Amino acid sequence: MDKKRNPWAWIPTLYMAEALPYVAVMTISTIMYKRLGISNTDIALYTGWLYLPWVIKPFWSPFVDLMKTKRWWTVTMQFIIAIGFACIAFSLPTSFFFQLSLAAFWLVAFTSATHDIAADGYYMHALDDHEQSLYVGIRSTFYRIATVAGQGLLVILAGVIEMNSGLEPVQMEVKANEHQIEINTISPVNDDAPFFYFTSIDSVTPSASYVKEQNEENGFVEKEVEQAVVEEDATGWMDQELASFTEWVRETFGEAPREVSALSPRQQMVGVSLSEQPQNGEPVILNIAFKSGDQSISLDGKSPRFEFTKDNWDKQALLLVSVDPKLKGETVATFEGLSGNIPFAWLVVFVVMSVLFFLAAVYHQFILPKPQSDHPAKDVTAGTIAREFIETFRTFFTKKNVLIAILFMLLYRLPEAQLVKLINPFMLDPVDKGGLGLTTGDVGFVYGTVGIIGLTIGGILGGIAAARGGLKKWLWPMVMAITLPDLVYVYLSYVQPDSMFIINSCIFVEQFGYGFGFTAYMLYLIYFSEGEHKTAHYAMCTGFMALGMMLPGMMAGWLQETIGYQHFFIWTILCCLVTFAICAFLKIDPEFGKKKL
């Protein structure tokens, strides 16, 4: 090895660089696409495919092992990830941002999976056995810190930009009693710039169909394609048979229509107006969501997301306010409209990540040691690579109890694989659509900060418990911990609380349980990988792990949109039974995982 360098100089930054792209691909992408108006079905389906690089990375890991050095692969992949983030950023202002950004996410995903192989291999070359054990906790800690920064700070940054870009936020206060509904614009108005305001419309009989028709005709929302046309013209997975199956699932397992009363709700038509033409000819997007107050007051019809342009700015977008007819006395609810530049907000986030990765690559180019053992293989031929592939796979699939082990890798995280794709959309969706109606910044704090704190504490305690009693002793408590706390989402979907304390508490409990229970999963992968080719076998185990996350996640969005959030979360609880069943067949050495005296 060259001049000995303190591992503290590179381990924290290396493992933060390993975590951030994964978080960007798996989590930040779903939040961003939700804010940009992509449906839950498309978010879950297309981002679910982004797991694929981590699923198949064992197939190209021998190339990383045989060609060039691990150090070279690590630094080079960081430069490419920086380019990938920049491509995502500058695709967002385009009209076909979804296709372009997905292509860039694919680049980041494959590069990140390759970076994982190289960085983990480099760690073993740069440190001796004692140092590897000493610093394993440090690398895990900084991996989680990067997760906090990705799911928390970067999402909060996007939320701050959304709040402070574009036009001034506008709030609509709705006061209602048994006799009337009063609408007020309560936000202060800046007369020097265009602003939004709300007015009651009494000249037209309130009607959801009229609101939909007028908003589509005036170009505030996109026209919906008739279902019959979709079924006739669709190809691939969205064909007529699937449409029929979807309808059967909806009718059999879907939520009942949200009826507040057998009586007709009291309704009031509200117009949303822009004071003057959008500046520079750019369209202004207004997103309206429930903010606080009595949920007996709601917005009916299509989710309020209006596009004001130079062609329709002088017309009124329409809302339909509904009040539960069973309501007695006076009540108040507040709805908030944000017109921040959402594409610009996420462009800034990904530019920041691109710059960070470019700086990390430059830093690691100079700071990473050059261990003597980290060198490319000599006389690499097609035959060498072929023999390596064959031997690795032969020894893996001839291990004892391999079938049960593979099923465990695929099914242990079955509930989480479906939940993880819909948690952020659930938090962002408005209350009248079954969600919690949080802002982007709220989600960054709840799931990306409070949730990660719970995850970290649970993981630390899980490691301590396993070291004292072994994996076999703690398997079932950890199984319970990773599954049963999912009940908090059933509670949140039925109650839809507006208390941030309750929401934060629920997410903390669920993530603490996941952190504690996930320890059993990772320890079993290490346990099953022991023996010859353990590095390659561990890579194969993580491939099955990614496959177990990818396939259920791809269908989660379709299922949720078909049966609703409440029944979807009940379904994930039922999936916990699969986790219990497969764990009952595991065979584990009672001494594995215990701390050696």
Side-chain angles (χ1 to χ4, degrees):
M1 186 183 292
D2 62 347
K3 182 180 178 181
K4 184 70 174 179
R5 187 165 286 126
N6 191 329
W8 274 99
W10 56 270
I11 289 178
T13 54
L14 179 62
Y15 279 90
M16 291 179 74
E18 184 171 316
L20 193 55
Y22 183 84
V23 172
V25 171
M26 295 294 102
T27 303
I28 296 179
S29 65
T30 64
I31 301 174
M32 181 187 76
Y33 285 138
K34 185 66 181 178
R35 295 298 295 147
L36 291 170
I38 305 300
S39 71
N40 288 358
T41 297
D42 286 344
I43 291 173
L45 176 65
Y46 291 108
T47 63
W49 276 107
L50 295 175
Y51 275 114
L52 186 62
W54 284 275
V55 174
I56 64 176
K57 72 179 183 180
F59 291 98
W60 74 85
S61 58
F63 291 97
V64 178
D65 201 33
L66 297 174
M67 303 173 66
K68 295 289 188 179
T69 65
K70 309 297 183 300
R71 187 184 189 276
W72 181 90
W73 280 103
T74 300
V75 174
T76 302
M77 293 304 103
Q78 289 176 7
F79 276 116
I80 297 176
I81 290 171
I83 295 171
F85 282 147
C87 291
I88 294 170
F90 295 109
S91 71
L92 297 180
T94 67
S95 59
F96 41 93
F97 72 90
F98 190 43
Q99 295 88 339
L100 282 181
S101 60
L102 274 176
F105 271 120
W106 272 101
L107 172 65
V108 172
F110 273 102
T111 308
S112 177
T114 306
H115 180 268
D116 290 355
I117 298 169
D120 291 339
Y122 177 81
Y123 178 86
M124 291 185 283
H125 281 286
L127 303 176
D128 59 33
D129 291 344
H130 170 70
E131 289 174 323
Q132 288 180 39
S133 300
L134 182 63
Y135 287 98
V136 69
I138 303 303
R139 61 181 261 188
S140 298
T141 298
F142 280 92
Y143 189 98
R144 293 181 186 276
I145 289 174
T147 304
V148 172
Q151 293 186 358
L153 298 180
L154 289 173
V155 175
I156 291 173
L157 172 62
V160 170
I161 296 174
E162 286 183 21
M163 290 288 292
N164 293 280
S165 62
L167 305 186
E168 187 177 7
V170 60
Q171 290 186 2
M172 176 177 68
E173 181 185 70
V174 181
K175 295 182 179 179
N177 56 37
E178 297 95 327
H179 308 293
Q180 65 178 2
I181 301 174
E182 179 183 343
I183 307 296
N184 296 306
T185 300
I186 62 174
S187 292
V189 172
N190 178 7
D191 293 331
D192 297 329
F195 57 87
F196 287 101
Y197 58 93
F198 300 95
T199 54
S200 296
I201 299 176
D202 299 318
S203 59
V204 180
T205 302
S207 165
S209 60
Y210 179 81
V211 167
K212 177 177 179 293
E213 176 186 331
Q214 290 298 305
N215 285 335
E216 290 181 350
E217 182 177 325
N218 291 324
F220 293 113
V221 300
E222 291 185 0
K223 290 187 177 182
E224 294 183 358
V225 181
E226 293 297 327
Q227 184 66 27
V229 175
V230 174
E231 292 183 6
E232 180 180 348
D233 296 339
T235 58
W237 71 277
M238 198 173 170
D239 55 16
Q240 187 171 357
E241 288 75 15
L242 181 58
S244 300
F245 176 70
T246 299
E247 187 60 29
W248 176 81
V249 172
R250 181 181 292 111
E251 292 178 355
T252 307
F253 302 105
E255 296 176 14
R258 290 173 175 261
E259 297 181 357
V260 295
S261 173
L263 303 172
S264 298
R266 296 197 300 279
Q267 296 180 320
Q268 174 66 54
M269 197 94 74
V270 178
V272 185
S273 302
L274 182 58
S275 64
E276 62 183 76
Q277 183 173 331
Q279 298 174 353
N280 304 319
E282 294 292 329
V284 177
I285 308 298
L286 180 66
N287 291 275
I288 304 173
F290 181 89
K291 182 173 179 63
S292 62
D294 191 342
Q295 295 183 23
S296 298
I297 302 174
S298 62
L299 299 180
D300 280 5
K302 188 175 176 66
S303 184
R305 182 181 187 274
F306 302 133
E307 181 173 344
F308 288 80
T309 67
K310 61 183 180 61
D311 298 320
N312 68 5
W313 72 272
D314 54 347
K315 300 180 176 65
Q316 284 186 322
L318 300 182
L319 292 169
L320 190 62
V321 176
S322 295
V323 178
D324 189 337
K326 296 182 296 184
L327 179 68
K328 303 297 182 183
E330 187 171 292
T331 190
V332 178
T334 301
F335 299 85
E336 184 173 52
L338 299 178
S339 57
N341 191 330
I342 296 175
F344 175 74
W346 290 102
L347 182 150
V348 171
V349 167
F350 280 97
V351 165
V352 168
M353 286 195 283
S354 178
V355 171
L356 287 175
F357 255 83
F358 178 79
L359 295 176
V362 171
Y363 176 76
H364 290 143
Q365 177 65 41
F366 291 98
I367 206 69
L368 289 181
K370 297 179 179 178
Q372 295 179 356
S373 59
D374 182 24
H375 55 76
K378 297 180 179 179
D379 301 323
V380 177
T381 64
T384 304
I385 296 174
R387 286 193 296 273
E388 185 75 13
F389 271 119
I390 294 171
E391 183 63 15
T392 298
F393 281 88
R394 184 194 68 80
T395 53
F396 182 86
F397 287 102
T398 55
K399 282 178 176 280
K400 188 177 181 181
N401 298 319
V402 64
L403 179 60
I404 295 298
I406 291 174
L407 288 175
F408 173 82
M409 297 171 203
L410 292 173
L411 299 175
Y412 184 76
R413 301 172 74 186
L414 179 61
E416 180 216 352
Q418 298 170 85
L419 275 175
V420 73
K421 286 296 180 185
L422 274 303
I423 289 174
N424 289 313
F426 168 64
M427 292 185 175
L428 291 167
D429 265 339
V431 173
D432 58 309
K433 303 301 177 185
L436 297 183
L438 303 185
T439 66
T440 305
D442 290 336
V443 173
F445 181 79
V446 172
Y447 193 58
T449 304
V450 174
I452 293 300
I453 292 173
L455 181 72
T456 303
I457 295 174
I460 292 172
L461 294 181
I464 294 173
R468 292 184 176 181
L471 173 59
K472 186 176 179 65
K473 177 180 178 179
W474 283 97
L475 175 63
W476 282 105
M478 290 181 176
V479 170
M480 299 291 184
I482 203 171
T483 53
L484 297 185
D486 292 346
L487 284 166
V488 301
Y489 292 109
V490 177
Y491 167 78
L492 290 174
S493 65
Y494 275 88
V495 177
Q496 294 179 286
D498 54 13
S499 166
M500 291 302 297
F501 175 78
I502 293 176
I503 295 172
N504 279 307
S505 299
C506 287
I507 300 307
F508 180 87
V509 168
E510 186 269 334
Q511 287 293 288
F512 174 86
Y514 173 71
F516 189 82
F518 188 66
T519 304
Y521 190 73
M522 297 308 296
L523 282 175
Y524 185 80
L525 298 192
I526 295 172
Y527 173 73
F528 190 75
S529 301
E530 286 188 331
E532 190 179 8
H533 303 293
K534 63 181 179 181
T535 301
H537 287 175
Y538 186 80
M540 294 178 70
C541 289
T542 59
F544 280 113
M545 174 179 68
L547 182 63
M549 293 294 291
M550 183 183 80
L551 295 180
M554 288 171 61
M555 300 304 296
W558 164 82
L559 182 61
Q560 180 277 316
E561 289 196 332
T562 301
I563 66 176
Y565 279 117
Q566 294 175 352
H567 289 187
F568 172 76
F569 290 131
I570 291 175
W571 162 253
T572 60
I573 294 298
L574 294 177
C575 289
C576 297
L577 299 176
V578 177
T579 303
F580 295 158
I582 193 61
C583 289
F585 292 94
L586 289 183
K587 305 295 182 183
I588 302 172
D589 183 350
E591 297 301 312
F592 177 76
K594 288 184 179 180
K595 185 177 181 179
K596 306 298 182 183
L597 300 178

